[in-house]
Amino acid sequence: MEEALRIKALPPYLFARIDEKVSAARAKGVDVISLGIGDPDMPTPDYIIERLTQAARNPANHRYPSYVGMLQFRQAVADWYKQRSKVELDPKKEVVTLIGSKEGIAHIAFCYINPGDIALIPDPGYPVYGIGTMLAGGVPYKMPLKAENGFLPDLDSVPEDVARKAKLMFLNYPNNPTSAIADEEFYLKAIAFAKKYDIILCHDAAYSEIAFEGYKPPSFLSLPGAKEVGIEFHSMSKTYNMTGWRVGWAAGNSRVVEALGRIKSNIDSGVFQAVQEAAMAGLASPPAFVEEICKTYQKRRDIVIDGLNALGWNLPKTKATIYVWPQVPRGYTSASFAEAVLDKAGVVVTPGNGYGEYGEGYFRISLTVGTERLQEALKRMQQSLGKFEF
Ligand code: MLT
């Protein structure tokens, strides 16, 4: 049976390909240190698990969940925004529960993209922005994220005819994979741009809570005009060590939230309510929990950045996210460096070009293993790859 055109053009997901390489190396007996996917190694807190087990025993939760999510969960999201960023949200109209933010990011294109329509996507960027657009028949227009611009897109360089054809624009700060941050001035500019061209701004805020040394990433939704033009995707995954639980949300513009909920109600049947109850326990976590998580990543960041700088890199300290985004040494491409590091050091890093053509020349390290393994990874890189030149 021949595959449909849309899937013929679809590559395997970046991390599915990397998983295959890791499994092959492990099958050969290599003690692989995986700094690839951003999948927190720390466990989900006990109080969240407790809440799940209690909620799983409630027969009311064994039936179909509400399509757009339990009102109590959406209320908990609204409360979280109010407390965190003084953002007022109507839980009934301005929040929709997602099976992880990835799901909503992929489906939003189906709400607004007609064949041939454009979505503006950051490059390098989370692959799902472009894939969702293509599956909906749209055309991703890449906005390069360059070091000289602080890895922010230059909105003034988007051609007028492209901006006019664009229906969606994806932004993501703190940024995966570059770990760059955005200030309020940038968001205001993006909001004005979206308003001018009638574009829905989709802000992916999956990493907004992982920040260091007192830095608090501004909330896109707290800025004037944000709710008129866009929504924010958020996730329990990275902040609460819940990647496996698949629960997140989109919040903001009520018409966009309704459209996303409508498409979802026709495709999926919502998030298991016991998981939503557990996520409510997560959102009510004491601030000390997230502070501790940030301290752990900060310590790991220091080991990696100080370690790479001792090997010849010249990296500034990142302010947020669980990633480090160094350039590859001279003589390597992103792919050849990632391959050499795996083959010679047994260390998995993500090649920068996996996030788009403007990621070429970089690789990404995920800080999702403990300090000893990070030190071991750096030691192995030095011992097996020799001196790095830039
Ligand atoms: C990443 O490592 O970029 C993401 O965690 C991968 C994902 O969410 O699929």
Side-chain angles (χ1 to χ4, degrees), residues 159-232:
E160 183 82 19
D161 59 322
V162 170
R164 292 204 181 283
K165 274 180 86 179
K167 295 283 168 62
L168 300 176
M169 171 166 68
F170 289 95
L171 293 174
N172 158 228
Y173 292 95
N175 184 256
N176 173 23
T178 68
S179 81
I181 55 171
D183 60 13
E184 293 190 355
E185 198 188 333
F186 171 76
Y187 286 124
L188 288 172
K189 195 169 177 180
I191 290 166
F193 181 89
K195 210 177 250 176
K196 177 172 174 192
Y197 293 106
D198 195 18
I199 293 170
I200 293 163
L201 200 165
C202 300
H203 184 240
D204 175 359
Y207 301 92
S208 69
E209 305 314 296
I210 314 288
F212 312 128
E213 286 135 2
Y215 170 65
K216 189 172 171 206
S219 162
F220 157 70
L221 283 184
S222 70
L223 294 165
K227 255 206 254 176
E228 281 163 50
V229 296
I231 55 168
E232 184 155 87

Side-chain angles (χ1 to χ4, degrees), residues 66-256:
S66 147
Y67 291 105
V68 292
M70 297 163 80
L71 185 55
Q72 294 98 308
F73 175 70
R74 290 179 288 142
Q75 180 68 57
V77 168
D79 293 344
W80 182 84
Y81 268 99
K82 191 166 182 179
Q83 207 197 1
R84 198 254 184 224
S85 318
K86 300 195 174 48
V87 171
E88 296 281 349
L89 289 169
D90 176 348
K92 290 195 178 130
K93 294 189 175 148
E94 295 178 327
V95 183
V96 58
T97 309
L98 300 173
I99 310 174
S101 59
K102 182 179 187 179
E103 175 261 301
I105 288 169
H107 281 142
I108 190 72
F110 289 84
C111 302
Y112 291 100
I113 296 283
N114 283 319
D117 285 345
I118 287 176
L120 305 175
I121 62 159
D123 184 331
Y126 187 46
V128 186
Y129 310 139
I131 297 288
T133 303
M134 288 189 290
L135 288 176
V139 182
Y141 177 87
K142 294 166 183 176
M143 302 186 290
L145 304 188
K146 296 184 181 163
E148 61 263 34
N149 298 332
F151 295 109
L152 295 169
D154 175 8
L155 298 176
D156 296 330
S157 72
V158 176
E160 183 82 19
D161 59 322
V162 170
R164 292 204 181 283
K165 274 180 86 179
K167 295 283 168 62
L168 300 176
M169 171 166 68
F170 289 95
L171 293 174
N172 158 228
Y173 292 95
N175 184 256
N176 173 23
T178 68
S179 81
I181 55 171
D183 60 13
E184 293 190 355
E185 198 188 333
F186 171 76
Y187 286 124
L188 288 172
K189 195 169 177 180
I191 290 166
F193 181 89
K195 210 177 250 176
K196 177 172 174 192
Y197 293 106
D198 195 18
I199 293 170
I200 293 163
L201 200 165
C202 300
H203 184 240
D204 175 359
Y207 301 92
S208 69
E209 305 314 296
I210 314 288
F212 312 128
E213 286 135 2
Y215 170 65
K216 189 172 171 206
S219 162
F220 157 70
L221 283 184
S222 70
L223 294 165
K227 255 206 254 176
E228 281 163 50
V229 296
I231 55 168
E232 184 155 87
F233 289 99
H234 225 303
S235 157
M236 299 298 295
S237 290
K238 317 286 168 164
T239 317
Y240 304 100
N241 303 329
M242 292 177 75
T243 48
W245 297 58
R246 307 318 303 145
V247 55
W249 67 84
N253 186 283
S254 57
R255 273 170 300 142
V256 182

Side-chain angles (χ1 to χ4, degrees), residues 13-15 36-40 101-102 125-128 176-177 207 237-238 243 246 322-323 350 355 364 366:
Y13 189 55
L14 172 64
F15 289 102
I37 194 163
D39 190 0
S101 59
K102 182 179 187 179
Y126 187 46
V128 186
N176 173 23
Y207 301 92
S237 290
K238 317 286 168 164
T243 48
R246 307 318 303 145
I322 56 176
Y323 305 119
T350 309
Y355 292 89
R364 195 192 75 174
S366 172

